[in-house]
Amino acid sequence: MHPDFTVVSWYKVFGHPTGAGSLIARREALARLCRPWFSGGTIRAASAQAQWHVMATDETAFEDGTVNFLAIPDVTAGLAWIDGIGVHRVRAHVAALADRLLGGLAEARHSDGSPLVRVYGPGAGEPDRGGTVALNVLGADGRVVDERIVSRDSAARGISLRTGCFCNPGAGEAAFALPLPRLRAAAHGRPGSLEDCPEVLGLPSAGAVRVSLGVSSQPGDVDAFLRLLRETYRDRTPAPDALPARAGC
């Protein structure tokens, strides 16, 4: 794609450390940016009385405050670890797990043959398919099971999932096929809280379930999640009773 800028979260590459990321930029693109303010460490000189400042001439101009220097050695160690494994091997491993998961989800059915899940995004083997699979569980009545129920049930089985709207309103609107007139009408009513959103927008739920596969994931992890779905939701319509309030995106 030859981007001018790309963002990297290192813990999503090798699991550690949290809170350390990088903005990788082409130097010619970085040179076109002009910050109208400055913070500690981003300038070469400044005058309080004359009201002028000189920004640093490189990427330092965009690093506000002291960088997390204690985490930087963890990043270099993590990169060496990934290099030792081989990025191509990691990609093949994650792709195989994603295909295993998607194949199992496609086969997950209620007794009447109706689907047990609704999967969003590319299917198995498609070029744009990564290791993150978003889905909603469907009850025996065909309706979406509240993602908070899935979060509660998976935690009880020792399975860690991400549930919610994932800070991506566009993906949620597309997944639930929300028409533009309804979205515009909701702007006039302005939901008072996240709890109001499903009712105002006519949503079956406020989000989805996200299964993320990575270098440390194993086939047994995928099978455990598929087993959870079959044993917990097949031919059932769970009631949304005593659920915690939804957190904001």
Side-chain angles (χ1 to χ4, degrees):
M1 301 301 292
H2 305 292
D4 287 331
F5 303 93
T6 188
V7 177
V8 179
S9 176
W10 293 116
Y11 88 90
K12 292 193 175 184
V13 177
F14 36 76
H16 184 78
T18 59
S22 297
L23 172 66
I24 303 173
R26 293 183 183 273
R27 294 191 181 279
E28 58 271 22
L30 200 63
R32 293 197 300 270
L33 300 183
C34 181
R35 292 188 64 174
W37 71 90
F38 68 90
S39 298
T42 61
I43 57 172
R44 293 192 179 278
S47 171
Q49 296 186 68
Q51 294 291 296
W52 59 261
H53 65 274
V54 178
M55 297 296 296
T57 56
D58 55 14
E59 65 276 2
T60 307
F62 299 91
E63 293 178 344
D64 293 329
T66 304
V67 297
N68 188 0
F69 59 86
L70 292 177
I72 292 175
D74 295 331
V75 174
T76 57
L79 289 171
W81 180 66
I82 286 291
D83 284 342
I85 298 172
V87 173
H88 296 294
R89 292 180 64 191
V90 173
R91 183 181 297 118
H93 173 70
V94 172
L97 291 178
D99 286 348
R100 186 187 189 97
L101 173 61
L102 290 165
L105 293 175
E107 294 175 358
R109 302 270 169 178
H110 294 286
S111 295
D112 61 2
S114 61
L116 187 61
V117 296
R118 178 186 299 159
V119 178
Y120 306 107
E126 295 187 28
D128 292 332
R129 162 50 68 192
T132 301
V133 179
L135 60 97
N136 273 124
V137 177
L138 303 177
D141 59 357
R143 300 180 65 181
V144 170
V145 175
D146 193 300
E147 77 279 357
R148 293 172 295 176
I149 295 177
V150 182
S151 177
R152 179 194 63 196
D153 295 342
S154 62
R157 296 277 285 263
I159 299 174
S160 180
L161 304 172
R162 178 77 164 87
T163 59
C165 63
F166 313 138
C167 304
N168 193 331
E173 292 165 8
F176 291 128
L178 293 178
L180 185 57
R182 189 189 305 174
L183 292 168
R184 285 176 172 166
H188 300 293
R190 295 280 175 138
S193 69
L194 190 59
E195 291 296 318
D196 297 335
C197 289
E199 181 177 353
V200 171
L201 293 172
L203 292 171
S205 185
V209 176
R210 189 175 72 194
V211 181
S212 299
L213 303 168
V215 63
S216 62
S217 302
Q218 298 298 318
D221 301 327
V222 173
D223 296 343
F225 175 65
L226 294 173
R227 190 162 52 248
L228 165 73
L229 294 178
R230 293 191 302 268
E231 295 176 356
T232 308
Y233 305 109
R234 191 169 188 263
D235 298 333
R236 290 189 56 221
T237 303
D241 297 328
L243 294 175
R246 292 184 174 91
C249 291

